[in-house]
Amino acid sequence: MSPSEPGFAPRIDGVDAPAGVALAARARPRAVDSVVELVGNTPLVRLRWFEAACPGVELWAKCEFANPGGSVKDRAALRIIRDAQARGDLPPGVRLIDSTSGNTGIAYSMVGAALGIPITLVMPSNVSEPRKQVTAAFGTEIVFSDPLEGSDGAIVMARAMVDADPERWYYPNQYANESNWRAHYDGTAREILAQTGGRVTHFVAGVGTSGTIMGTSRRLHEHDRRIRCLGLQPDDAMHGLEGLKHIPSSLVPPIYDESVIDDTIWLPTDEGWDMADRLAREEGLFVGHSSGANVAGALRVARELSARGEPGVVVTVLCDRGDRYFAPLEWEKHYVW
Ligand SMILES: Cc1ncc(COP(=O)(O)O)c(C=O)c1O
C-alpha cells in the first residue's frame, strides 16, 4: 500500500505506528503564503536507540529546531506579535523592542521581517558576532548596552528607552506575556496529543521563560489529569544550559506557576551536555544543550517506569540545533577567487 493511500499506517519493527505517525506519513508537502505559516506542526521523532535502556516505554521528542527560525521560540514570538496586532498594540510606526540576543531575538527578527514589523533588540556589545549577524541579517536594528552590565544591563536599557518614548515602542516582555504559554497550549500540546494518538503519559520540558512547560502542561492536564508534566531546571545557579533558568536563584518569570506542573527534575549541566553529544552520535540529532538536558530528564523518567515494569509514552522537546552554538561561525557573503 502506498503512503498516499487512505488507511496507510507505517509499521515499525512489525508494530503499527501511532496514529500521528500515520498522519505525518500521509501528509502532502505544504504550500504556504508566508514563512510564519511554517511555525509549529513540528515532527515528533522516536528515540529508538535510547529506548533500549527502558524496555516497554516509548521515548519521543518534538523537533522544535524544525521551526523556520530554528527554535521553539518561533511559536512564542509569532503568538506574541499576532496577539499584540489583534489588540492594536503594534500599529504602523510602532517598533517592537526587547532585550534578547538568543533564540527569541532571532524569532522576533524572522517574524518581524515576514510581517513587516520593525524590530529593535538591545544586547550587550560583547555578544558574539554570529548572534549580532543573524539578527541583523533580518533587518533588525541592534542597540548595544554596556558589556560590563551583561543581560541585566540590556533589560534596563530597553526599559529606559520605552519609558522615554512609550508611543514609539511595543515592549512584549516574554516572561510576563500570556501569549507566550498560550502558543504552546494551542500548538505544542495539541500536536503532541494528535501525534501520539492521545497516548502520551509523561511530558518533560526545561524551564526558561516557562512558556513551553506552562502552556503544554495546562492543555495535557485538561485532556487527562493523569498525564505527568515535569519541569526541568539546572541543579545549580551557575550552569551551562543556555535557555534554561535555575528558578530558586533567578527572578521568577511572572507566567511561571509551580502548581501547573507535577514535579521538577533537577539536572546537572554535564548530564545535559553529555546527552546532547549522545543525541548526535547515537540518534543523528545534532541539537543544543537544553535539548540534551530535556532528553536526559525524559530518559530518567522512562528508565524509572521501565524498572517498575510500567508502560509509558514519554515526550520531550528538542529546542534548537547544535550548530547555533558554534562560536566563530562567520557568514561569508563574498566569494574569494
Ligand atoms: C535553547 C532554549 N531552550 C529552552 C528554552 C526554554 O523555553 P521556554 O522559554 O518556553 O521555557 C529556551 C528559551 O529561550 C531556549 O532558547
Side-chain angles (χ1 to χ4, degrees):
M1 185 185 257
S2 123
S4 60
E5 285 177 52
F8 169 80
R11 291 171 72 81
I12 299 171
D13 287 352
V15 176
D16 282 340
V21 173
L23 207 82
R26 280 208 308 272
R28 295 205 175 91
R30 286 180 281 173
V32 295
D33 286 330
S34 162
V35 70
V36 298
E37 290 176 44
L38 298 174
V39 175
N41 280 319
T42 54
L44 191 68
V45 62
R46 193 161 174 181
L47 305 179
R48 293 170 41 72
W49 294 103
F50 289 179
E51 280 183 11
C54 49
V57 179
E58 293 175 28
L59 194 55
W60 296 84
K62 194 97 171 101
C63 297
E64 291 305 296
F65 58 76
N67 281 304
S71 87
V72 66
K73 300 309 296 193
D74 285 8
R75 293 181 187 264
L78 178 59
R79 182 65 182 264
I80 284 170
I81 288 176
R82 285 277 196 229
D83 287 353
Q85 283 182 311
R87 286 192 303 269
D89 287 346
L90 271 172
V94 169
R95 300 185 70 92
L96 183 149
I97 185 167
D98 210 340
S99 55
T100 162
S101 54
N103 283 328
T104 308
I106 294 170
Y108 282 141
S109 299
M110 183 266 295
V111 175
L115 298 182
I117 294 158
I119 308 288
T120 298
L121 298 177
V122 183
M123 53 183 88
S125 58
N126 58 344
V127 155
S128 73
E129 273 308 309
R131 297 257 158 176
K132 296 173 195 165
Q133 288 183 13
V134 172
T135 45
F138 288 103
T140 288
E141 176 188 61
I142 305 177
V143 176
F144 293 114
S145 58
D146 188 336
L148 299 177
E149 291 174 19
S151 55
D152 284 352
I155 295 172
V156 170
M157 187 165 176
R159 287 187 180 156
M161 289 169 70
V162 175
D163 288 345
D165 192 355
E167 303 294 302
R168 178 154 190 246
W169 307 104
Y170 170 66
Y171 179 52
N173 187 8
Q174 56 165 339
Y175 290 94
N177 196 315
E178 303 282 305
S179 307
N180 181 352
W181 66 262
R182 285 189 191 280
H184 299 280
Y185 180 89
D186 289 329
T188 316
R190 277 181 197 240
E191 294 165 28
I192 290 170
L193 287 169
Q195 288 166 317
T196 61
R199 297 180 314 117
V200 54
T201 60
H202 294 72
F203 177 68
V204 177
V207 177
T209 64
S210 80
T212 308
I213 188 72
M214 288 295 117
T216 309
S217 302
R218 283 196 173 102
R219 165 75 67 164
L220 293 182
H221 279 157
E222 275 173 26
H223 175 77
D224 183 344
R225 188 58 193 86
R226 290 169 302 176
I227 299 173
R228 280 187 62 77
C229 295
L230 305 154
L232 181 140
Q233 294 180 39
D235 69 352
D236 196 79
M238 299 296 290
H239 69 89
L241 296 171
E242 175 150 349
L244 303 190
K245 256 183 188 294
H246 177 255
I247 296 282
S249 62
S250 310
L251 285 175
V252 181
I255 60 168
Y256 180 71
D257 176 356
E258 207 176 59
S259 71
V260 170
I261 57 173
D262 296 299
D263 211 346
T264 295
I265 298 172
W266 301 97
L267 202 93
T269 294
D270 282 356
E271 202 174 327
W273 286 14
D274 291 350
M275 186 54 87
D277 290 347
R278 281 190 60 196
L279 276 161
R281 292 197 192 135
E282 297 175 35
E283 294 281 357
L285 289 159
F286 183 39
V287 290
H289 296 139
S290 69
S291 308
N294 281 348
V295 172
L299 193 57
R300 277 196 199 176
V301 172
R303 290 178 106 130
E304 284 164 18
L305 286 171
S306 180
R308 291 200 298 269
E310 289 176 31
V313 177
V314 182
V315 176
T316 192
V317 180
L318 302 175
C319 308
D320 62 4
R321 308 173 73 97
D323 46 18
R324 188 141 282 180
Y325 300 92
F326 277 131
L329 198 114
E330 191 141 325
W331 185 19
E332 290 179 5
K333 206 165 184 181
H334 304 284
Y335 291 105
V336 180
W337 300 102

